[in-house]
Amino acid sequence: MMEINGSPIGLSRIRDLIEKTEHPASQGDSLKKACVFMLLCSLETEPYILAIVKADSRDYPWANQVALPGGHVDGSDRTPKDTAYRELYEEMRIGASQVDFLGAMGCFRTINHT
């Protein structure tokens, strides 16, 4: 079971915290929009966050970095959640039926030094 400040915390409490927390708003239309999934997995009793290693591609700004599965919004994506699910499936072959969606954590700006 996960802990916050030494106290056990279940999925219902995590969902409650996500819903009650004020999250950052969109940074405007000038930035390229992308979505990621933060997957909490439990192997036996220990919680884990599923991360990926980005491709080792020449001129790719995130090559070999550890990241959450995700990517840019496509024209076919109706919502940010659709983008996150699509990217999760493309990168990890994990479908929506395999995920218990807890909520969204808002918008965050990433760093790109290209």
Side-chain angles (χ1 to χ4, degrees):
M1 172 147 310
M2 288 190 187
E3 294 184 7
I4 293 182
N5 297 328
S7 299
I9 184 168
L11 292 180
S12 62
R13 178 72 175 125
I14 293 171
R15 181 180 282 119
D16 188 51
L17 287 169
I18 291 170
E19 290 174 359
K20 290 182 178 176
T21 301
E22 187 174 327
H23 303 296
S26 172
Q27 301 286 316
D29 292 332
S30 64
L31 300 174
K32 192 176 245 186
K33 295 189 182 338
C35 299
V36 299
F37 245 103
M38 181 185 297
L39 290 173
L40 303 173
C41 307
S42 179
L43 302 176
E44 298 178 17
T45 60
E46 293 296 316
Y48 294 89
I49 294 175
L50 180 68
I52 60 173
V53 177
K54 291 294 198 174
D56 183 14
S57 301
R58 184 180 173 162
D59 298 325
Y60 182 53
W62 296 280
N64 296 313
Q65 291 186 12
V66 175
L68 300 173
H72 291 110
V73 175
D74 284 351
S76 63
D77 298 326
R78 295 176 307 160
T79 66
K81 188 175 173 182
D82 288 343
T83 300
Y85 274 116
R86 178 184 51 75
E87 289 286 343
L88 179 65
Y89 186 77
E90 287 176 5
E91 295 181 7
M92 304 296 301
R93 292 297 185 247
I94 297 173
S97 65
Q98 298 171 280
V99 175
D100 181 14
F101 185 78
L102 300 180
M105 295 174 58
C107 299
F108 298 88
R109 191 172 189 171
T110 61
I111 299 169
N112 182 346
H113 296 290
T114 58

